[in-house]
């Protein structure tokens, strides 16, 4: 039985596409059972539909509060009976109640080497800080924004003359490699969340995550 995955998106869904491509392989241990967006014009919905994956839209603007939206989103997600929830460019800050409902079975990918640069504009911040390296982190989601334990990180060099767009493109290419990998680890039972930490094959993962080579 493959691990059932629900993916949440808000935009183009390039990381979703990487997961769809990985799941198309017969030996991949996870299947995407639904894609849910808070924006009806998110291109990721088209990607899902083109692959025969169920889709749903919950417009956050139709709800009176963040709590009401999160409650409705939780109910919609749970209707698909997922084993894992994957955030792939889902541009909503989630309430603690929602996060705790999925604690240990929700992953996110963030375009920085966490704990550096939580939040937005990560590429600009890395360039302005004069960092030699930048990258992306897959982490378990906790109530602290971008603060859950890291699973895997991929690094890219910050090159002379880099713009935000150039750096973002190189980071995104690495995101497409490490996100399907982390989902595979979870589906295989190698990756677990326990005692507030991420564990891989019985060992605690370092605070900066497993380094992807």
């Amino acid at each position: 039985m493959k691990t059932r995955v629900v993916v949440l998106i808000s935009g183009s869904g390039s990381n979703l596409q990487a997961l769809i491509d990985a799941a198309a392989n017969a030996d991949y241990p996870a299947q995407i059972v639904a894609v849910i967006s808070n924006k009806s014009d998110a291109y990721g919905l088209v990607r899902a539909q083109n692959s025969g994956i169920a889709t749903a839209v919950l417009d956050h603007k139709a709800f009176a509060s963040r709590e009401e939206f999160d409650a409705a989103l939780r109910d919609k997600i749970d209707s698909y009976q997922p084993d894992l929830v994957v955030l792939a460019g889902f541009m909503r800050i989630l309430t603690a109640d929602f996060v705790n409902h999925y604690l240990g079975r929700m992953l996110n990918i963030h375009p920085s080497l966490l704990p550096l640069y939580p939040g937005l504009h990560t590429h600009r911040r890395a360039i302005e800080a004069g960092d030699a390296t930048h990258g992306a982190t897959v982490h378990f989601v906790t109530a602290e924004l971008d603060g859950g334990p890291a699973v895997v990180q991929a690094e890219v060099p910050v090159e002379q003359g880099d713009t935000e767009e150039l750096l973002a493109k190189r980071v995104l290419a690495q995101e497409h490699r490490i996100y399907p990998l982390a989902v595979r680890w979870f589906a295989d039972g190698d990756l677990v969340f326990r005692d507030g930490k991420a564990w891989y094959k019985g060992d605690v993962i370092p605070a900066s995550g497993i380094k992807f080579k």
Side-chain angles (χ1 to χ4, degrees):
M1 186 75 72
K2 292 194 174 189
T3 293
R4 296 173 62 85
V5 179
V6 169
V7 182
L8 306 186
I9 64 168
S10 296
S12 69
S14 70
N15 269 308
L16 167 64
Q17 188 65 57
L19 293 166
I20 290 172
D21 293 345
N25 295 309
D27 66 343
Y28 195 73
Q31 61 173 330
I32 302 171
V33 296
V35 173
I36 303 172
S37 177
N38 65 316
K39 295 185 176 181
S40 60
D41 61 349
Y43 184 67
L45 294 169
V46 177
R47 296 179 189 271
Q49 291 158 3
N50 287 343
S51 297
I53 299 169
T55 60
V57 176
L58 267 72
D59 184 353
H60 60 277
K61 292 179 288 187
F63 294 85
S65 68
R66 189 179 299 275
E67 289 74 18
E68 287 183 24
F69 171 74
D70 279 10
L73 179 60
R74 182 193 63 222
D75 290 346
K76 175 60 70 174
I77 292 169
D78 286 352
S79 72
Y80 296 105
Q81 300 179 300
D83 303 300
L84 177 67
V85 177
V86 171
L87 308 182
F90 188 63
M91 303 303 289
R92 295 285 299 167
I93 294 175
L94 299 165
T95 59
D97 283 348
F98 180 94
V99 170
N100 288 332
H101 181 71
Y102 298 107
L103 191 64
R105 53 195 183 106
M106 183 159 59
L107 294 173
N108 183 46
I109 192 160
H110 184 73
S112 82
L113 299 174
L114 291 172
L116 290 174
Y117 313 128
L120 301 175
H121 309 302
T122 61
H123 310 304
R124 180 193 311 166
R125 290 155 72 187
I127 292 170
E128 289 177 348
D131 293 347
T133 58
H134 187 44
T137 307
V138 178
H139 64 95
F140 279 107
V141 178
T142 63
E144 180 186 354
L145 178 65
D146 298 327
V151 173
V152 57
Q153 286 189 338
E155 296 183 355
V156 300
V158 180
E159 298 176 355
Q160 187 73 27
D162 256 343
T163 64
E164 287 182 64
E165 293 74 18
L166 288 171
L167 185 54
K169 186 175 180 179
R170 293 203 306 281
V171 170
L172 191 60
Q174 295 303 312
E175 291 181 33
H176 295 165
R177 301 174 74 185
I178 62 174
Y179 219 177
L181 179 63
V183 171
R184 175 186 283 277
W185 290 347
F186 183 93
D188 281 339
D190 293 332
L191 173 65
V192 298
F193 178 91
R194 188 169 71 245
D195 301 327
K197 297 181 173 65
W199 299 68
Y200 179 70
K201 292 186 175 181
D203 293 323
V204 176
I205 296 174
S208 59
I210 296 169
K211 298 301 182 184
F212 176 78
K213 301 298 184 185

